[in-house]
């Protein structure tokens, strides 16, 4: 890490690559390797090879060792920047999914959680100019739901009253953020996806007034019982600011869904449990 540049919150990354295996260059010529690099940086590996002055960029495996090290450093920096900057949906389009790259997404979550916890950080920039394309208001939206292996935890089904902190009006966009009173009577923050087709149909048809910060939703969700960051899957939006939306799933329907997902259900409180208000 080199000293931070004036006007930028992102430190310049200094990388020394001592050796590059031949398999790395085979990967860069493969469809998936090209897709990953292009998805994160906006350009194929050959573009970055030309940027470092390689005249035979179309034959990456034939680069000199010096050029290989330079290209590897360039790709690591550019891909790291893209991974921090792009939305979950943008990366998923390139095949960089949460399921396939959970450790990387966990590290990204820690980065944004650190920024959220530092009130002095009002925006994040990715170059040496005082430009901050991601304002503080979008930090929470960069957090993603990371589900561990199904056997690692039991899932609890609850009907929960939520105060919306950050809504999302794109079914494939970032997660919603809301606060709710947990079983220990403490208010907690939760990140969740809404998987209710009836809800999204009403949104698309304009039959639902879009919720604003501070409004309320009554949902039926599934969440892991033991987890640091609370992430949930909302199966049904029961009410939206008092407006009836969907009927709750039955126990049989829930069992069918959870069996398909291969999630273990914690039924200590009964399948549906109690209403958390």
């Amino acid at each position: 890490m080199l000293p931070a540049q004036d006007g930028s919150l992102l430190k310049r990354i200094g990388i020394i690559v001592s050796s590059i295996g031949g398999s790395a260059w085979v990967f860069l010529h493969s469809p998936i390797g090209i897709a990953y690099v292009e998805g994160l940086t906006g350009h194929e590996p050959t573009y970055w090879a030309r940027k470092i002055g390689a005249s035979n960029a179309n034959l990456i495996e034939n680069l000199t060792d010096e050029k290989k090290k330079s290209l590897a450093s360039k790709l690591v920096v550019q891909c790291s920047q893209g991974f921090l900057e792009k939305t979950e949906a943008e990366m998923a389009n390139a095949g960089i999914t949460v399921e396939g790259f959970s450790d990387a997404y966990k590290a990204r979550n820690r980065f944004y959680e650190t920024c959220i916890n530092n009130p002095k950080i009002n925006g994040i920039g990715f170059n040496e100019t005082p430009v901050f394309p991601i304002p503080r208001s979008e930090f929470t939206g960069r957090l993603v739901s990371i589900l561990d292996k199904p056997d690692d935890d039991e899932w609890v089904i609850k009907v929960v009253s939520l105060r919306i902190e950050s809504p999302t009006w794109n079914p494939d966009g970032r997660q919603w953020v809301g606060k709710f009173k947990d079983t220990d009577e403490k208010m907690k923050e939760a990140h969740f996806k809404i998987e209710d087709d009836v809800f999204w149909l009403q949104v698309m048809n304009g039959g639902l007034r879009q919720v604003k910060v501070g409004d309320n939703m009554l949902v039926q969700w599934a969440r892991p019982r033991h987890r640091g960051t609370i992430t949930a899957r909302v199966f049904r939006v029961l009410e939206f600011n008092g407006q009836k939306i969907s009927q709750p799933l039955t126990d049989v329907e829930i069992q069918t869904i959870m069996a398909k997902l291969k999630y273990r259900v914690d039924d200590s409180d009964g399948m549906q449990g109690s209403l958390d208000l």
Side-chain angles (χ1 to χ4, degrees):
M1 299 294 284
L2 302 177
Q5 299 296 300
D6 291 341
S8 175
L9 294 175
L10 184 67
K11 291 186 177 180
R12 298 175 60 190
I13 302 173
I15 300 173
I16 299 175
V17 181
S18 58
S19 63
I20 301 296
S23 59
W25 309 110
V26 174
F27 174 77
L28 290 178
H29 270 301
S30 69
I32 190 171
I34 292 172
Y36 284 168
V37 173
E38 185 173 14
L40 287 173
T41 72
H43 300 283
E44 293 186 357
T46 52
Y47 168 88
W48 296 110
R50 288 192 294 270
K51 293 291 283 186
I52 63 169
S55 59
N56 59 341
N58 290 325
L59 298 173
I60 291 179
E61 69 272 16
N62 293 329
L63 296 177
T64 65
D65 287 343
E66 182 180 355
K67 290 294 186 183
K68 284 183 178 181
K69 293 175 184 179
S70 181
L71 176 58
S73 296
K74 189 75 173 179
L75 289 176
V76 169
V77 171
Q78 295 297 324
C79 287
S80 298
Q81 174 180 318
F83 191 75
L84 289 173
E85 185 175 17
K86 293 184 180 297
T87 65
E88 179 184 352
E90 288 174 326
M91 290 189 289
N93 287 336
I96 306 169
T97 62
V98 176
E99 293 77 13
F101 296 85
S102 60
D103 287 342
Y105 276 97
K106 287 177 182 178
R108 191 178 102 136
N109 277 357
R110 289 194 297 271
F111 171 81
Y112 277 104
E113 287 167 355
T114 299
C115 293
I116 291 170
N117 293 329
N118 187 338
K120 295 182 179 180
I121 299 179
N122 293 317
I124 299 173
F126 297 94
N127 54 46
E128 297 180 3
T129 64
V131 176
F132 308 101
I134 301 181
R136 185 174 185 83
S137 60
E138 295 183 11
F139 290 176
T140 300
R142 288 300 196 279
L143 298 174
V144 301
S145 173
I146 301 175
L147 305 179
D148 293 334
K149 294 179 181 179
D151 290 339
D152 288 347
D153 208 346
E154 293 182 327
W155 287 65
V156 180
I157 313 299
K158 290 284 186 180
V159 173
V160 184
S161 178
L162 289 163
R163 180 186 185 276
I164 303 305
E165 301 293 321
S166 178
T168 303
W169 296 108
N170 179 355
D172 300 318
R174 60 178 173 79
Q175 297 181 81
W176 291 63
V177 181
K179 289 187 176 179
F180 73 106
K181 185 180 290 187
D182 206 354
T183 52
D184 58 5
E185 296 300 313
K186 294 182 178 179
M187 292 298 294
K188 296 182 180 178
E189 185 174 88
H191 303 260
F192 56 93
K193 290 276 190 181
I194 296 178
E195 304 175 18
D196 183 352
D197 290 339
V198 175
F199 172 82
W200 289 113
L201 183 62
Q202 292 205 36
V203 170
M204 289 186 289
N205 291 339
L208 196 64
R209 183 178 63 82
Q210 292 190 357
V211 70
K212 59 182 183 297
V213 174
D215 283 359
N216 297 291
M217 299 173 71
L218 187 67
V219 305
Q220 182 185 39
W221 74 12
R223 56 164 282 206
R225 178 175 289 280
H226 304 293
R227 187 74 53 80
T229 301
I230 297 175
T231 58
R233 303 178 70 143
V234 170
F235 295 140
R236 289 290 185 268
V237 177
L238 307 182
E239 295 182 10
F240 177 92
N241 279 340
Q243 179 180 343
K244 302 291 185 181
I245 304 296
S246 296
Q247 293 295 318
L249 295 170
T250 65
D251 287 354
V252 173
E253 289 172 323
I254 291 172
Q255 289 173 342
T256 301
I257 291 174
M258 301 304 276
K260 285 183 178 180
L261 296 173
K262 297 183 179 180
Y263 293 154
R264 294 183 299 129
V265 178
D266 183 344
D267 196 26
S268 58
D269 298 324
M271 179 66 74
Q272 297 285 353
S274 57
L275 173 63
D276 292 335
L277 296 173

